[in-house]
Amino acid sequence: MIETADSGRIWLLSGRTSGYALHLTDHGELLHLHWGPRLTLADAEALALLPLAPHRPFESPLDGQEEYVVECGPRFARPALSVRTPEVRGTEGEFAGADVDGDELRLRFADAVHRLGLTLHYRMRDDSDVVERWATVAHEGAPGDPDLELLRADAAVWTLPPREGWRLSQLHGRWAAESRLVRSPLTPGDKVLGSRRGHTGHQHLPWVALDAEGTATEESGEVYGCALGWSGSWRIAVQHLPDGRVQISGGAGYDDSGLLSLAPGHAYTTPVFAGLWSPDGFGGASREWHAWQLARVVPEAGRVRPVLFNSWEATRFDIGEEQQRALAGRAAALGVELFVVDDGWFGERTHDAAGLGDWTPNPERFPGGLKPLADEVHALGMRFGIWVEPEMVNPDSALYRAHPEWVQHQSGRRRTEFRNQLVLNLARPDVQEHLWEQLDGLLSSVPVDYVKWDFNRSFSDAGWPGEEYPQRLWIDHVRALYGLLDRLRAAHPSVDFESCSGGGGRIDLGILSRTDQVWTSDNTDPLDRLAIQHGFSQLHPARVMAAWVTDSPNTLLNGRRSSLRFRFVSAMAGVLGVGGDLTRWSEDELAEARGWVELYKEIRPVVQLGAQYRLRPPEGGLSAVQYVRGDDAVVLAHLQAQHHGLRPPALRLRGLDPAAAYRCLDTGAVHRGAVLLHRGLDTGLVGDLDAAVFRFRRAGAGEG
Ligand code: GLA
């Protein structure tokens, strides 16, 4: 709901439990008023009467107060918008009007010197506490006017209320160790997170959370969060200003060295930088993020995801039709619903130094193309998926030999390879068209139901010889990727897509709005995964988090041995997959795995679509996560290591009705809700790397 004060200068957006207010002063400055619990319009009007900080000779009265900081005038805070022409740098906006369109508020400003139009967009829905913000910058000049260079154009600036101090939570990592949660006090200055790699990156998820004075816990206290929806280079800057105020800006691009050049008549729309206030601790904030993504971001999120098999760890590049048929037979017998052939099926791709770019089946490996295998997979009752990495080429490929100018490169410089590959310049229309033809052709000629879309290196030589403003390649690559995905989804509506980038190198709200799930990490070790999943869940729901059970020992990474039970209970916390070499699993292992897959299918709606409670973090001892949906609850518990004389603590459950009784479907015991919530559940886990699943159903529910 959006309310406007009679003055026409105060706007109040109200969501499920929170509110957001802003104020246009008599001097035309757009100031932040409130972000927190719901307010009335009268409260917002009272806030607008509070005096601003007194003028001081070396401080700007605007810093830390403004809704969107532009470069110009009496401001020393980091600008969200920095624009220049050959003549004039900076921008000065006059208020030009407000529109309310359903749940979207638009505030328009005009800069007469640059002939620039700036629109700030806000959207808050009644059933959510997420505020979506973005901005549009338009060149409103006439042909012949100079182009406007956008050095920086952030989506939004978020302002936190004055408090004594703040703690910052972030998700950092690297390849095979993504989304590690770390919390630290916010100190004066700027804390900058981002990626200058051309993709979201393994190093930071585009998300931050802040809690005042470090007082929030998992289930209590105020938490602010911000998350950016962009799959290219990005930056979130958390500024702790000299007077202790905190503002958070975020947008596409890492540096301030130029995003785009806007010709007259053209406009740039930033990605969405979403924000959330929660009174219910980190867990409450996560659940609100999850609910919003399931309702508003992820396509058709109400459909549960199938159990998949992926061939990568089982076979690596050594693949062939017969071997894939054998795996498919075993996967189907386990209850797998989607069989995905990973890398190695196309061109000369028998190793990682050749074939990328040539998206036709390797004739020696698949003499009749992929269709015979796809048909067999379908006959086994599974859906059929393939791996692609469309944005890349190996220099040793037919595509690169035909079009060496199609890759990002700088004139006269060496073309840097990572994993023996170069990045195609997707900003080029001819490259876009080529990829469309290849992928559309592939999906039209083979009955493919699922595409795992990978991206296995970062940008390094992002040049575009001959282009007037090569810098635009960074933004246009992402737009072209989004455009291709959108076009393919529209043309092949039954095909689902997975985003992968060497594991979790491209996970963000932008890619999630056009893919069905993401590959969380190349690290499939079930214990390492618990920490990765714990971090991932801070922002994203289990419904999009792919997790595979692979072989033990984990020869690819750390050699750890773990039971099938531990591996399954770890991977069941997301979208379950199997990625081991099933031809080497014993009959006993296959039988046990069949049981786990069956159990997962039963709990899947609760895990994928339910409310998630992180009961205990994976910090060495007992950890657990719980999911609640309607009358059902599921607990996945893991014991990393046990020390003599110390019993693992009882697990205090969450989200149950204290007045109800719950039957544990695994033990048959009936528990009082109040007891599970307060005294807790004894898991009975013992020893190292033990794990268990507990299913609870409200007594009386579903019993006739
Ligand atoms: C990346 C992915 C893996 C696998 C390989 C194939 O590393 O993350 O899952 O698909 O590429 O080359």
Side-chain angles (χ1 to χ4, degrees):
M1 181 176 60
I2 302 174
E3 293 164 273
T4 309
D6 290 342
S7 64
R9 302 178 86 86
I10 293 176
W11 296 273
L12 174 64
L13 292 86
S14 300
R16 199 172 63 79
T17 69
S18 62
Y20 190 97
L22 45 153
H23 173 210
L24 185 75
T25 68
D26 294 340
H27 307 290
E29 296 138 349
L30 185 68
L31 302 188
H32 178 72
L33 275 187
H34 170 76
W35 186 19
R38 276 181 79 134
L39 293 185
T40 63
L41 201 49
D43 297 330
E45 286 171 324
L47 271 172
L49 295 176
L50 293 179
L52 294 180
H55 271 257
R56 305 240 184 262
F58 283 98
E59 298 300 341
S60 160
L62 296 175
D63 284 353
Q65 313 271 355
E66 289 188 294
E67 274 293 297
Y68 192 78
V69 183
V70 298
E71 181 185 31
C72 198
R75 298 172 177 91
F76 308 112
R78 184 184 276 274
L81 182 65
S82 172
V83 184
R84 74 175 170 200
T85 61
E87 298 279 313
V88 185
R89 179 164 176 154
T91 182
E92 228 167 35
E94 289 279 319
F95 182 63
D99 312 294
V100 174
D101 180 2
D103 45 24
E104 184 184 333
L105 168 67
R106 286 190 286 267
L107 301 176
R108 288 175 284 109
F109 298 83
D111 175 348
V113 173
H114 278 328
R115 308 191 70 180
L116 170 151
L118 167 69
T119 307
L120 303 181
H121 305 255
Y122 296 79
R123 182 160 57 208
M124 188 173 203
R125 304 176 201 267
D126 294 349
D127 59 357
S128 170
D129 285 319
V130 173
V131 183
E132 295 164 46
R133 291 184 58 186
W134 69 102
T136 313
V137 185
H139 191 331
E140 293 172 346
D145 283 351
D147 289 358
L148 294 176
E149 189 183 9
L150 301 188
L151 296 170
R152 181 89 206 158
D154 278 332
V157 177
W158 297 95
T159 305
L160 302 186
R163 295 284 189 269
E164 277 181 48
W166 291 92
R167 177 171 59 169
L168 173 74
S169 301
Q170 61 184 100
L171 296 167
H172 75 108
R174 56 189 180 278
W175 176 77
E178 298 88 337
S179 53
R180 299 307 177 99
L181 178 65
V182 61
R183 305 195 200 279
S184 52
L186 190 68
T187 53
D190 288 11
K191 176 79 181 179
V192 177
L193 311 180
S195 155
R196 53 193 305 281
R197 297 163 179 261
H199 60 123
T200 325
H202 301 82
Q203 292 69 26
H204 301 280
L205 255 74
W207 168 86
V208 289
L210 289 118
D211 63 306
E213 294 119 26
T215 49
T217 67
E218 184 63 21
E219 295 298 337
S220 72
E222 285 187 296
V223 174
Y224 290 85
C226 305
L228 187 69
W230 185 246
S231 312
S233 291
W234 59 276
R235 184 178 78 197
I236 293 178
V238 184
Q239 279 189 94
H240 184 297
L241 293 163
D243 66 354
R245 281 182 167 266
V246 173
Q247 287 194 313
I248 305 152
S249 56
Y254 186 82
D255 306 310
D256 298 329
S257 55
L259 270 182
L260 284 178
S261 179
L262 281 184
H266 287 76
Y268 167 65
T269 300
T270 70
V272 168
F273 193 25
L276 164 74
W277 171 85
S278 169
D280 298 322
F282 297 110
S286 297
R287 286 187 289 281
E288 194 64 26
W289 280 123
H290 297 174
W292 171 71
Q293 285 167 73
L294 295 183
R296 305 289 175 187
V297 179
V298 177
E300 293 182 75
R303 285 187 310 156
V304 291
R305 300 296 311 154
V307 176
L308 68 72
F309 175 84
N310 178 293
S311 65
W312 174 244
E313 288 203 22
T315 62
R316 309 283 285 191
F317 288 105
D318 185 16
I319 79 173
E321 185 169 331
E322 283 319 307
Q323 161 226 49
Q324 293 290 313
R325 281 177 192 267
L327 285 167
R330 292 210 156 199
L334 284 190
V336 164
E337 298 157 309
L338 164 64
F339 183 83
V340 184
V341 180
D342 208 279
D343 202 349
W345 59 266
F346 52 90
E348 299 294 313
R349 188 75 169 171
T350 52
H351 46 74
D352 68 10
L356 266 187
D358 302 338
W359 301 109
T360 43
N362 178 304
E364 276 150 39
R365 295 178 159 200
F366 296 92
L370 286 175
K371 189 163 183 313
L373 176 62
D375 289 344
E376 165 121 4
V377 166
H378 286 149
L380 287 165
M382 297 184 290
R383 300 168 76 205
F384 180 67
I386 52 168
W387 177 96
V388 293
E389 194 180 355
E391 298 150 88
M392 303 288 169
V393 273
N394 288 122
D396 184 4
S397 65
L399 180 65
Y400 186 72
R401 281 186 282 276
H403 294 288
E405 75 288 5
W406 277 8
V407 297
Q408 298 179 352
H409 65 286
Q410 307 280 355
S411 277
R413 299 253 187 248
R414 195 158 45 89
R415 301 179 180 198
T416 313
E417 294 175 22
F418 285 93
R419 211 191 190 208
N420 307 304
Q421 61 194 59
L422 299 168
V423 187
L424 285 172
N425 181 358
L426 258 67
R428 293 177 60 121
D430 46 5
V431 172
Q432 292 167 15
E433 210 40 40
H434 171 80
L435 291 181
W436 160 254
E437 279 164 16
Q438 294 295 304
L439 295 165
D440 176 56
L442 188 61
L443 298 185
S444 305
S445 61
V446 183
V448 169
D449 309 297
Y450 185 85
V451 172
K452 175 178 172 185
W453 185 301
D454 212 336
F455 182 91
N456 273 316
R457 61 157 290 179
S458 304
F459 291 11
S460 59
D461 315 299
W464 186 353
E467 163 62 29
E468 206 172 300
Y469 193 78
Q471 185 74 7
R472 75 182 173 92
L473 159 168
W474 294 83
I475 294 276
D476 284 354
H477 185 103
V478 182
R479 288 175 165 172
L481 164 71
Y482 287 172
L484 259 176
L485 281 167
D486 292 346
R487 205 169 160 194
L488 288 166
R489 290 188 79 99
H492 304 277
S494 63
V495 178
D496 290 346
F497 289 81
E498 170 178 345
S499 170
C500 174
S501 172
R506 191 151 67 188
I507 300 175
D508 59 82
L509 297 169
I511 204 74
L512 276 169
S513 68
R514 33 183 66 83
T515 48
D516 299 276
Q517 63 187 61
V518 295
W519 181 222
T520 318
S521 177
D522 275 344
N523 185 339
T524 60
D525 174 77
L527 179 61
D528 284 5
R529 262 301 173 112
L530 295 182
I532 295 171
Q533 295 177 174
H534 180 72
F536 185 96
S537 75
Q538 301 295 319
L539 177 61
H540 299 302
R543 161 66 177 69
V544 299
M545 186 183 78
W548 309 341
V549 172
T550 54
D551 294 335
S552 172
N554 189 306
T555 44
L556 276 187
L557 284 169
N558 56 16
R560 182 177 282 123
R561 287 174 196 278
S562 56
S563 64
L564 209 48
R565 159 182 285 272
F566 192 81
R567 279 176 274 154
F568 265 100
V569 181
S570 170
M572 283 158 86
V575 178
L576 178 67
V578 178
D581 185 354
L582 297 181
T583 59
R584 292 165 184 251
W585 288 21
S586 68
E587 285 306 321
D588 283 352
E589 285 174 316
L590 291 170
E592 185 185 339
R594 202 162 29 246
W596 287 115
V597 171
E598 201 176 302
L599 175 62
Y600 177 75
K601 287 180 184 169
E602 194 196 312
I603 64 172
R604 153 167 75 183
V606 185
V607 171
Q608 293 189 11
L609 305 176
Q612 187 177 149
Y613 296 82
R614 292 178 293 258
L615 300 182
R616 294 178 60 86
E619 286 171 356
L622 179 68
S623 66
V625 55
Q626 180 193 349
Y627 310 82
V628 179
R629 187 168 187 249
D631 292 323
D632 289 304
V634 170
V635 175
L636 305 178
H638 304 91
L639 183 63
Q640 180 178 344
Q642 192 183 4
H643 302 287
H644 176 70
L646 293 177
R647 261 167 69 108
L651 275 181
R652 290 182 64 186
L653 305 196
R654 302 274 184 187
L656 302 181
D657 177 356
Y662 291 85
R663 179 180 302 282
C664 178
L665 306 184
D666 301 279
T667 62
V670 176
H671 302 259
R672 310 286 314 161
V675 173
L676 289 174
L677 289 166
H678 189 258
R679 193 266 173 201
L681 171 77
D682 289 320
T683 60
L685 297 185
V686 285
D688 293 347
L689 300 188
D690 196 7
V693 179
F694 299 93
R695 291 166 294 164
F696 294 94
R697 179 156 303 152
R698 185 192 281 259
E703 292 177 1

